[in-house]
Amino acid sequence: MPMGLTADELRQLDSFVDERRRIKRGERLYAAGSTFDALFTVRLGSLKTAVLFEDGREQVTGFHMLGELIGLDGISTEAHTCSAHALEDSEVCLLPFSRLEDFSRRIPALQHHVHRLLSSEIVREQHNMLLLGTMRAEEKLASFLLDLSDRYLRRGYSASEFVLRMTREEIGSFLGLKLETVSRLFSRFQEAGLIIAQQKYIKILDANGLRQLIGPPD
Amino acid sequence: MPMGLTADELRQLDSFVDERRRIKRGERLYAAGSTFDALFTVRLGSLKTAVLFEDGREQVTGFHMLGELIGLDGISTEAHTCSAHALEDSEVCLLPFSRLEDFSRRIPALQHHVHRLLSSEIVREQHNMLLLGTMRAEEKLASFLLDLSDRYLRRGYSASEFVLRMTREEIGSFLGLKLETVSRLFSRFQEAGLIIAQQKYIKILDANGLRQLIGPPD
DNA sequence: CGCGGATTTGAACGGAGTCAATCCGCGTGG
DNA sequence: CCACGCGGATTGACTCCGTTCAAATCCGCG
């Protein structure tokens, strides 16, 4: 949480972001339906969030890495609508929401920041809707790789070389594809010289080539 | 905006929800990229919001009717990421956002309400992602009809009989389908005795039948 | 009353899904 | 330390749902 706060305000904020929680790979941070009372920021590792259906089908709604905020869906009804699982051993930091509300009444810059965070999540999801609703399989996967690449870059990691933390099935669920399709596309991208994909290891050889895949079929 | 506010607080609120705007059918309330400074609530008519792609493809992100709030995506960057068009002659009420922030610092109940509204939008979009990513065409359209039905009901209209305000193409864009597919499904639902669909007029004959369409294939 | 956009319907196609067989590699336990 | 087991990944063959292309019809609106 950056933003134009005074030193004093920052000290106040520090006072309530103390509690942390460790989650082992595969474990659940919270389940859909569980009561909401705090947001979480990722301090270490990465998580996925997913909404699920009566019949067992699930839709992955996001993959979350260092610094990202999860749990915003819980504010609305005081209960989470999605579940959150760790993709690897991870650690999150708790932000008790009612305290966050108290602080943000006192600190306008924080209040505005909270609003922007909520709104960003809406924008992110709109982007996903566009991806799910209008893109072809190839475009979806290319977008996905470029998005990951960008997020690693911002965190100071390599934009062109990284290790996926999620399975083909989870990628597929996120993109509205089956795992076999995801796998086949990785192979096709590799044959086309766009990437190297060996299981979870990914190296992007031609980011512009990936970008050009996104666009009208023609 | 209901919520547990005192009479005095309500009076304060009234003072800033005065400005209204009329939009004719097909006209635009705001464009993607335009600067954000206010939210809008629908007072009359209905609107659609859509995100669009460089290449012209568009994804309808929602249809909005009486009482619903639009523009929340603009908070994040002070610019709208989607555009809003009137589906019929409509009227919206402006809520200048910075004033809303001021008020909500002073009135905790309002502050919490704003948070819940933002969060509800996140939940709504998660639901759409599930729809777009995991449902088959038939399930998508059945969900869509049941959702509309429910929203009309809450507003005191008939849940079983209504007039669509959007075209087959707009429905298709919202559901991630082509307009021909939407049209064919309406016909199939009609043959199956689930609905009557004559152009924009819809009558739901068997809501439970529609509900049963939603679920694992077989 | 006539025009043009919206809708319906048909036929053929193709992209992604399904089913199935194999392969890989990581972690575990002997 | 190595062998084994098992979940994840790859690949192939075939299917099918939704798209595409095309034509006809409907209907609201000027």
Side-chain angles (χ1 to χ4, degrees):
Chain A
M1 290 242 191
M3 294 302 93
L5 305 186
T6 67
D8 186 52
E9 286 167 349
L10 271 176
R11 221 173 318 112
Q12 287 185 19
L13 259 181
D14 273 348
S15 75
F16 86 125
V17 294
D18 47 4
E19 199 186 339
R20 300 200 174 190
R21 191 176 302 171
R22 295 178 165 284
I23 325 116
K24 281 213 154 57
R25 170 201 175 89
E27 280 182 5
R28 195 167 63 191
L29 175 57
Y30 55 81
S34 61
T35 62
F36 162 86
D37 48 20
L39 301 173
F40 304 92
T41 56
V42 183
R43 305 298 301 184
L44 203 73
S46 51
L47 312 241
K48 69 165 177 181
T49 47
V51 285
L52 50 160
F53 227 21
E54 302 85 79
D55 61 19
R57 282 182 285 181
E58 80 165 28
Q59 170 70 37
V60 170
T61 53
F63 299 113
H64 310 277
M65 43 208 266
L66 182 61
E68 292 175 342
L69 202 59
I70 57 184
L72 295 168
D73 57 286
I75 299 168
S76 135
T77 57
E78 320 261 283
H80 292 285
T81 57
C82 64
S83 61
H85 288 259
L87 294 172
E88 59 190 311
D89 292 356
S90 302
E91 189 176 314
V92 295
C93 186
L94 270 78
L95 307 177
F97 190 66
S98 58
R99 277 213 264 171
L100 187 58
E101 286 189 321
D102 289 344
F103 277 105
S104 73
R105 274 198 303 278
R106 268 175 264 147
I107 310 172
L110 177 63
Q111 179 201 31
H112 193 61
H113 189 58
V114 169
H115 291 156
R116 289 168 64 111
L117 286 170
L118 280 152
S119 179
S120 305
E121 181 66 11
I122 291 169
V123 172
R124 191 184 70 77
E125 289 187 359
Q126 279 178 358
H127 186 266
N128 288 160
M129 286 172 63
L130 189 143
L131 182 147
L132 288 166
T134 78
M135 288 191 185
R136 289 167 302 103
E138 199 179 64
E139 297 180 280
K140 289 177 178 181
L141 192 64
S143 300
F144 173 71
L145 288 174
L146 292 169
D147 177 56
L148 269 191
S149 166
D150 183 53
R151 284 155 74 197
Y152 279 121
L153 183 64
R154 287 162 194 253
R155 281 162 183 76
Y157 300 113
S158 167
S160 63
E161 212 172 347
F162 45 84
V163 173
L164 298 174
R165 309 260 92 123
M166 66 296 280
T167 67
R168 300 290 189 259
E169 186 166 20
E170 287 163 335
I171 296 171
S173 169
F174 181 65
L175 300 177
L177 300 173
K178 293 292 151 179
L179 67 115
E180 295 94 329
T181 305
V182 174
S183 180
R184 264 184 258 274
L185 286 170
F186 274 129
S187 303
R188 260 175 45 197
F189 286 0
Q190 182 156 255
E191 279 167 44
L194 297 169
I195 64 171
I196 291 171
Q198 279 158 10
Q199 312 279 127
K200 309 245 159 167
Y201 168 82
I202 299 285
K203 187 178 175 88
I204 296 179
L205 301 175
D206 181 2
N208 274 323
L210 287 176
R211 267 176 221 111
Q212 280 163 19
L213 287 184
I214 304 168
D218 87 49
Chain B
M1 289 238 191
M3 296 301 94
L5 305 186
T6 66
D8 186 54
E9 286 165 351
L10 272 176
R11 221 171 318 110
Q12 288 186 20
L13 261 182
D14 272 348
S15 75
F16 85 124
V17 294
D18 47 4
E19 200 186 338
R20 300 200 174 190
R21 191 175 304 170
R22 296 178 165 283
I23 324 116
K24 280 214 156 57
R25 170 201 175 90
E27 279 182 6
R28 195 166 63 191
L29 174 57
Y30 55 80
S34 61
T35 61
F36 161 85
D37 49 20
L39 300 172
F40 304 92
T41 56
V42 183
R43 304 299 301 184
L44 204 73
S46 51
L47 314 242
K48 68 165 178 182
T49 47
V51 285
L52 50 162
F53 227 19
E54 303 84 80
D55 60 20
R57 282 182 285 182
E58 82 165 25
Q59 171 70 35
V60 170
T61 53
F63 299 112
H64 310 276
M65 42 207 266
L66 182 60
E68 292 175 341
L69 202 59
I70 58 185
L72 295 168
D73 58 285
I75 299 169
S76 134
T77 58
E78 320 262 284
H80 292 286
T81 57
C82 63
S83 61
H85 288 260
L87 294 172
E88 59 191 310
D89 293 356
S90 302
E91 189 177 314
V92 296
C93 185
L94 270 78
L95 307 177
F97 190 66
S98 59
R99 277 213 264 170
L100 186 58
E101 285 188 323
D102 289 344
F103 277 105
S104 73
R105 273 199 302 279
R106 266 175 265 146
I107 310 172
L110 177 62
Q111 178 200 32
H112 192 60
H113 189 57
V114 169
H115 291 156
R116 289 167 65 111
L117 286 170
L118 279 152
S119 178
S120 305
E121 181 66 10
I122 291 170
V123 172
R124 191 184 70 77
E125 288 187 0
Q126 279 178 358
H127 187 268
N128 288 160
M129 288 171 62
L130 189 144
L131 182 146
L132 287 166
T134 78
M135 287 190 185
R136 288 167 302 105
E138 198 178 65
E139 297 180 281
K140 289 177 178 180
L141 192 65
S143 299
F144 173 72
L145 287 174
L146 291 169
D147 177 57
L148 269 192
S149 165
D150 184 54
R151 284 155 74 196
Y152 279 121
L153 184 64
R154 288 162 194 253
R155 279 162 184 77
Y157 300 112
S158 167
S160 63
E161 213 173 347
F162 45 83
V163 173
L164 299 174
R165 311 260 92 123
M166 66 297 280
T167 67
R168 300 291 188 258
E169 186 166 20
E170 288 163 334
I171 296 171
S173 169
F174 181 65
L175 300 177
L177 300 172
K178 295 289 151 181
L179 70 115
E180 295 93 330
T181 305
V182 174
S183 178
R184 263 184 259 275
L185 285 170
F186 274 128
S187 303
R188 260 175 47 196
F189 286 1
Q190 181 156 257
E191 279 168 43
L194 297 169
I195 63 172
I196 292 171
Q198 279 159 10
Q199 311 281 127
K200 309 245 158 161
Y201 169 81
I202 299 286
K203 186 179 175 86
I204 296 179
L205 301 174
D206 181 3
N208 275 322
L210 287 176
R211 268 176 221 112
Q212 280 163 20
L213 287 183
I214 304 167
D218 76 66

